[in-house]
Amino acid sequence: MSYARIIGTGSAVPERVLTNHDLEAMIDTSDEWIRSRTGIERRHIAATGETTADLGECAARAALAAAGVKPQELDMIIVGTTTPDLVFPNVGILIQERIGANGCAAFSCEAACAGFLYALSVAEKFIRLGEARRVLVIGAETLSRFVDWTDRSTCVLFADGAGAVVLAPSEETGILKTHLYADGRYKDLLYFPSGVSKGFDSLKSGKDFVQMRGNEVFRIAVRELSRAAVRILDEAGIPGSDLDWMVPHQANLRIIEAISKRIELPMERVVVTIQEHGNTSAASVPLALDVAVRDGRIQRGQSLLLEAFGGGFTWGAALLRF
Ligand code: COA
């Protein structure tokens, strides 16, 4: 049986860093509150004019270089994002044209913070079915664009960045399983209130921003991500304590700690980058993955559990050998 395997990773963040102390000067908050409630210390914020496609392109180039794959060899590009540059062409096509991969399929996957896991799951199927041999999967976001910078309950959390992986077929074990979930009953707990069809009227008035009921999101994220992690590990017959690494969605350190406890994986084997990056939505998992690959923590052949949770709600998990 042939697997889809990650053969290269890459990431990119904007140059500008916004620390918790910087935020103290902007809103009624404190470094201590943000660190103790979320784990975040600083985050990267896109410069004026810097877009999701810009960050995605940088991450894509790094992943292609790491994989030793030329853009012309790509069969498909899938981008998980909720902050596209334009309504269309989609971000995948914008990146395709810039890197010179013209002709291959390219599309975006709109599943909020779970966008990268959704994209990875789709890409994996194309490779396992033999319908694609080289697929670039990207998570890229500029969430700072739809945050209300006067709302302390959201602006301290979200940030910008991108991560990417290249997938290829392999006889050696790669992606073992992916599970995707969504539950629209929770659509009012985390959402952005404008869109093309519904209209941008409130956006034009400068009053439209991401809306979140943080407490409720927190509770359901812990419950559903724990269930998803336990289910995927059980199905594969792998105890959580045997995993080499968990690479979780970087939304809140307390959510991450609760899941690590539930699957009995010590925090020393959990990749945590939230202190540096904040919540970069669909970029969060591939960004953390690339950081841990490049600093030598994650090694070839190790077992990884990826998971993410976002607005909708959407969520998912993936189990793989790197
Ligand atoms: N600085 C200081 N105080 C703040 C604050 C900030 N940035 N944001 C909120 N507070 C205050 C609140 O006003 C509240 O004050 P009150 O008790 O006087 O009313 C108090 O802190 C507690 O607020 P609460 O919302 O209950 O805090 P919390 O412990 O639930 O933490 C979140 C808030 C947002 C950090 C947390 O709920 C969370 O991370 N939720 C999940 C979010 C998430 O993961 N979203 C993305 C999913 S992809």
Side-chain angles (χ1 to χ4, degrees):
M1 172 177 154
S2 182
Y3 292 92
R5 194 156 188 223
I6 295 175
I7 59 165
T9 67
S11 64
V13 287
E15 209 177 300
R16 182 178 164 217
V17 173
L18 187 73
T19 66
N20 291 350
H21 293 294
D22 294 331
L23 284 165
E24 283 174 346
M26 296 161 57
I27 48 168
D28 179 17
T29 191
S30 67
D31 172 55
E32 200 283 326
W33 190 97
I34 303 171
R35 267 192 294 116
S36 62
R37 298 290 178 117
T38 71
I40 301 168
E41 295 173 21
R42 58 190 73 81
R43 72 283 290 141
H44 293 258
I45 302 295
T48 307
E50 190 173 31
T51 69
T52 296
D54 292 333
L55 297 171
E57 177 192 349
C58 279
R61 287 187 189 278
L64 287 167
V69 168
K70 296 191 187 69
Q72 303 87 317
E73 294 176 78
L74 290 173
D75 299 310
M76 185 174 287
I77 300 172
I78 316 179
V79 184
T81 188
T82 36
T83 47
D85 293 36
L86 307 169
V87 173
F88 68 90
N90 70 66
V91 176
I93 295 173
L94 300 179
I95 294 172
Q96 182 224 51
E97 191 268 333
R98 291 179 188 193
I99 63 176
N102 303 58
C104 76
F107 57 98
S108 298
C109 214
E110 188 194 343
C113 297
F116 175 78
L117 276 175
Y118 269 65
L120 187 76
S121 182
V122 172
E124 186 254 346
K125 305 298 178 292
F126 271 96
I127 289 190
R128 254 193 315 118
L129 287 168
E131 293 188 13
R133 292 189 54 78
R134 299 283 180 274
V135 182
L136 176 62
V137 185
I138 303 169
E141 301 276 16
T142 43
L143 286 180
S144 62
R145 299 278 190 259
F146 65 29
V147 161
D148 178 356
W149 288 99
T150 64
D151 174 8
R152 68 178 185 172
S153 68
T154 53
C155 79
V156 302
L157 305 174
F158 298 110
D160 306 330
V165 302
V166 179
L167 292 185
S170 166
E171 292 312 309
E172 288 175 61
T173 311
I175 298 176
L176 281 161
K177 274 176 187 301
T178 62
H179 288 162
L180 304 177
Y181 307 86
D183 194 334
R185 283 175 301 176
Y186 301 117
K187 64 184 188 309
D188 297 332
L189 297 186
L190 178 55
Y191 67 100
F192 185 76
S194 290
V196 178
S197 190
K198 189 166 173 284
F200 286 106
D201 291 350
S202 45
L203 191 62
K204 281 185 207 137
S205 68
K207 287 189 184 138
D208 227 356
F209 303 106
V210 68
Q211 307 291 319
M212 182 175 76
R213 305 222 297 259
N215 255 311
E216 287 159 85
V217 177
F218 186 99
R219 198 171 40 79
I220 298 164
V222 169
R223 186 185 73 206
E224 295 304 339
L225 283 176
S226 298
R227 275 186 193 158
V230 167
R231 183 181 156 221
I232 202 164
L233 288 165
D234 279 356
E235 278 189 13
I238 299 173
S241 53
D242 281 5
L243 278 174
D244 289 305
W245 293 101
M246 176 165 74
V247 186
H249 180 44
Q250 311 284 321
N252 186 306
L253 183 58
R254 291 180 294 142
I255 297 178
I256 297 172
E257 286 169 345
I259 297 157
S260 113
K261 194 167 165 203
R262 178 68 185 83
I263 63 170
E264 298 177 1
L265 179 72
M267 279 301 287
E268 298 75 58
R269 283 191 270 142
V270 178
V271 177
V272 178
T273 59
I274 191 170
Q275 68 281 6
E276 298 295 323
H277 297 147
N279 181 350
T280 57
S281 185
S284 138
V285 168
L287 179 51
L289 175 67
D290 183 55
V291 167
V293 167
R294 283 175 194 266
D295 69 20
R297 271 179 287 176
I298 293 179
Q299 301 282 327
R300 279 273 158 227
Q302 289 188 325
S303 55
L304 312 187
L305 172 66
L306 317 182
E307 49 86 341
F309 186 90
F313 290 138
T314 52
W315 67 101
L319 196 58
L320 57 98
R321 271 202 188 276
F322 184 68

